[in-house]
Amino acid sequence: MTVSIGKSFAVAGIDAFPVTVEVDVRRGLPSHSTVGLPDKAVTESQNRVNAAIKNSGYEFPVKKITVNLAPADMKKEGSAFDFPIALGILASTGAVRKDGLDSIVCAGELSLDGNLRKIFGVLPVALKLKKYGFRRILVPSANAREAAVVDGIEVIPIKDLKQAVQYINGDVKISPVKVDKKEEFDKHSEYDADFSDIKGQYFAKRAFEIAAAGGHNVLMIGPPGAGKTMLAKRLVTILPPLTIQEAIEVTMIQSVTGRLDSRQVIFPVRPFRSPHHTISDVALVGGGTTPRPGEISLAHRGVLFLDEFPEFKRRVIEVMRQPMEDGEVTVSRAVETVTYPARFMLVAAMNPCPCGFSGVDGKSCSCSSGQIRKYRSRISGPMLDRIDIHIEVPQLKRREIDQFSKGESSSVIRERVVSARNIQTERFIRDRKVFCNARMSTKMIEKYCGISAQARKLLAGAVDTYGLSARGYNKVLKVARTIADIEGKEDVSSGHLEEALQYRLSEGTAF
């Protein structure tokens, strides 16, 4: 009997946990079994490992082979265990030094000829590796730069099984991969679009600046061709630049879903996601038999744009309500529960009516009042309550379309946004969960959004006129607080409140 022990990691959500790979080889009828709650991809590894070992020029033991992946009560998914299992089997035959496996962690998928293929989720593995005190990891060459983003560990790039054996036995030396995070961050941190591309729509631009400054959700109502999508796509360009830590969070999600560009080691810009209205609730919030992040997690630290908002299924829209409040989504299955981050800004867009031309000059609307009410009622009151800013985006006039002068650039607007965010960072310095005005709790609103008696009277009148809910009342105060921050004012004035009330159209004439 020969037992070889190797070390690897498994990914759960965007987290990872250590896995001990035990390989038992003994005399008996030739067989190969894997235990320790493996999924289909893990159990199929025996065929890949068998062929890879033989095609790399090594002897495969014709014995009874048992592979145990510990801890046995945690589900193991994916093909990343091919590499440590193969090394464990080779250690049992003496092709690999057993003591050489003690100081390394490895992960990778084997092709039938012994080459190592790229795997998903290497970044969260490397981060957890450091936390558990491991200092060296062997990964496929295609994953090496991604793992090297984490400081304090040696990342050894391996192209095939034979090279791994030679490295572990000390026959060859391979230099660890090094990555300059700041250089990589700066190299890819530019956006293709700019706010100066947008003609007219000054009211909407102002609303988007306020939204960016306070992290507020936005609903746009306007006819086709008014520029709603154009505005939404440029919101990310005026948001504060990602910090390195935020970029790593975004990159981890991209990594576990396999969306990380092989040319990039870090995702340096805020994500923009725009799913089609036919999307399912699972695809939007995450889940499935094997839980995967949904669109709201892929939009983490960025913008989720839902165009044709009323066309989304009611269930799909409603399932977002809790993640919008909590900034995360938890998916529970029989064998595991995973939590994904979902701290995003929601931007939704809709037409004023089913045909899109209600109230548009020069256009004839074919919708009845009943059809318009039915169309708008597809979005529930509780969901509308969670959207801070509601604005109309009218059709452009001809003189606005013909104008050649450009408006403010994204960089100019971003400076004001960053300045307002810095004020909020200082304000909420003691509460790490709150980083912008939109996330303020009721107690924080009472503390930081104090208004004068005159302003309070104005707001009380708006409650009667617009029918504001308690949540809508607080949303107005949050938006007013953001407007004051943009102007660098300590107190919220009646003027700030009056402007904030302009962005609650859904509780007035617009709905």
Side-chain angles (χ1 to χ4, degrees), residues 20-70:
T20 300
V21 181
E22 301 174 329
V23 180
D24 179 87
V25 180
R26 63 177 65 207
R27 295 175 62 184
L29 291 175
S31 64
H32 188 156
S33 61
T34 303
V35 297
L37 213 57
D39 73 348
K40 186 69 173 176
V42 178
T43 56
E44 287 178 348
S45 68
Q46 54 190 277
N47 298 316
R48 294 190 296 271
V49 168
N50 187 326
I53 288 176
K54 291 179 179 178
N55 291 330
S56 297
Y58 300 105
E59 178 186 355
F60 190 88
V62 187
K63 296 181 180 180
K64 182 179 180 180
I65 301 173
T66 303
V67 177
N68 179 44
L69 305 177

Side-chain angles (χ1 to χ4, degrees), residues 235-350:
L235 177 57
V236 290
T237 69
I238 62 172
L239 289 171
L242 287 173
T243 64
I244 291 290
Q245 183 56 45
E246 288 173 340
I248 288 176
E249 290 178 19
V250 174
T251 306
M252 287 171 66
I253 299 170
Q254 303 295 322
S255 175
V256 299
T257 56
R259 288 176 167 82
L260 192 62
D261 192 320
S262 59
R263 295 168 296 179
Q264 291 181 317
V265 298
I266 195 166
F267 202 85
V269 296
R270 293 189 181 273
F272 177 86
R273 303 293 302 180
S274 180
H276 193 261
H277 64 259
T278 57
I279 192 172
S280 68
D281 53 343
V282 171
L284 186 67
V285 302
T289 306
T290 300
R292 288 287 181 268
E295 289 291 333
I296 63 173
S297 294
L298 292 170
H300 179 61
R301 300 292 183 186
V303 172
L304 177 69
F305 177 48
L306 301 184
D307 198 8
E308 304 294 342
F309 198 33
E311 300 298 334
F312 284 79
K313 295 177 183 176
R314 183 71 170 261
R315 177 181 174 184
V316 172
I317 294 176
E318 295 302 308
V319 81
M320 288 196 303
R321 282 162 49 181
Q322 200 61 42
M324 286 172 67
E325 294 286 333
D326 298 341
E328 62 182 22
V329 58
T330 300
V331 180
S332 297
R333 292 293 180 266
V335 294
E336 63 180 327
T337 298
V338 296
T339 298
Y340 298 112
R343 206 171 288 279
F344 60 93
M345 283 182 63
L346 173 65
V347 178
M350 60 180 288

Side-chain angles (χ1 to χ4, degrees), residues 214-230:
H216 304 288
N217 300 321
V218 181
L219 172 64
M220 295 180 285
I221 307 166
K228 301 187 295 295
T229 300
M230 200 172 185

Side-chain angles (χ1 to χ4, degrees), residues 482-503:
T482 299
I483 296 169
D485 290 340
I486 292 174
E487 296 180 2
K489 304 294 186 182
E490 186 174 344
D491 299 322
V492 178
S493 69
S494 297
H496 302 143
L497 203 56
E498 288 172 353
E499 183 177 1
L501 283 169
Q502 296 180 62
Y503 307 123

